[in-house]
């Protein structure tokens, strides 16, 4: 990332006469991950990291790590460069998805954080099939219901 330094006081929305605002990398990462996932047909991370995250989320009941999964940022005083690794939906145009992600991430980071986005690099690591995901989710729900029923039966016996 190339950063232009501006020595004047009040040179941008984050440097004013009344003080400076510093944005943590984790804030830009989270906003970038959320913005990328707002584009229909996108999942953050590669297929393997999604599976691990889904498994962890089902165990812990969470899944908050998916917002920054596959996101790497370089944040300066006035600029940010963002690298995204994602999975695209099969059947959708990858160049169009990548451009929509770039546009949405840039708009969100610039409007919410006040940093100029110099670049958004997109790596498409994998593809996913929505019908397969829906079937797998239905199967997980059935298995969860069966486990809950077994637990209830065991509690009745005791």
């Amino acid at each position: 990332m190339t950063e232009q330094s501006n020595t004047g006081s009040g040179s941008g929305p984050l440097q004013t006469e009344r003080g400076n605002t510093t944005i943590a990398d984790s804030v830009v990462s989270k906003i970038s991950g959320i913005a990328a996932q707002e584009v229909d047909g996108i999942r953050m991370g590669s297929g393997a990291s999604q599976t691990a995250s889904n498994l962890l989320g089902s165990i812990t009941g969470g899944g908050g790590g998916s917002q920054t999964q596959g996101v790497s940022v370089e944040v300066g005083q006035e600029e940010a460069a963002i690298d995204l690794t994602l999975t695209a939906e099969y059947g959708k145009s990858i160049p169009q998805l990548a451009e929509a992600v770039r546009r949405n991430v840039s708009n969100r980071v610039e409007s919410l954080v006040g940093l100029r986005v110099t670049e958004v690099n997109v790596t498409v690591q994998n593809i996913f099939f929505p019908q397969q995901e829906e079937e797998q989710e239905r199967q997980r729900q059935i298995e969860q219901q069966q486990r809950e029923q077994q637990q209830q039966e065991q509690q009745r016996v005791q």
Side-chain angles (χ1 to χ4, degrees):
M1 176 178 104
T2 59
E3 185 178 346
Q4 300 172 338
S5 93
N6 204 339
T7 56
S9 177
S11 62
L14 299 176
Q15 290 81 35
T16 69
E17 301 85 36
R18 300 185 70 190
N20 294 330
T21 302
T22 303
I23 307 296
D25 291 7
S26 61
V27 171
V28 176
S29 290
K30 191 172 269 192
I31 289 170
S32 299
I34 292 168
Q37 291 179 89
E38 288 174 343
V39 175
D40 187 43
I42 294 298
R43 303 284 187 277
M44 292 307 297
S46 65
S49 61
Q50 286 178 13
T51 302
S53 177
N54 290 343
L55 178 62
L56 182 60
S58 68
I59 293 170
T60 62
S66 66
Q67 293 169 339
T68 57
Q69 180 180 355
V71 181
S72 174
V73 299
E74 227 180 286
V75 178
Q77 290 289 328
E78 298 176 13
E79 300 175 329
I82 302 161
D83 294 328
L84 302 170
T85 301
L86 50 85
T87 300
E89 180 178 334
Y90 177 77
K92 297 206 175 193
S93 166
I94 291 175
Q96 288 176 356
L97 285 174
E99 188 52 37
V101 167
R102 279 189 189 93
R103 201 171 33 251
N104 202 48
V105 168
S106 292
N107 289 341
R108 293 285 192 205
V109 170
E110 288 176 357
S111 67
L112 294 175
V113 180
L115 293 170
R116 184 174 66 252
V117 176
T118 58
E119 60 185 18
V120 178
N121 299 307
V122 176
T123 301
V124 179
Q125 191 84 27
N126 204 345
I127 59 172
F128 69 92
F129 302 90
Q131 298 82 3
Q132 255 183 342
E133 285 184 346
E134 291 169 9
E135 182 58 37
Q136 289 172 344
E137 181 58 30
R138 278 195 292 273
Q139 187 63 34
R140 276 194 290 270
Q141 289 175 351
I142 290 169
E143 291 171 0
Q144 178 65 27
Q145 288 172 348
Q146 289 173 344
R147 283 192 296 272
E148 289 172 1
Q149 287 174 350
Q150 288 173 350
Q151 288 174 349
Q152 288 174 356
E153 289 174 12
Q154 288 176 351
Q155 288 175 350
R156 284 187 214 132
V157 171
Q158 293 174 354

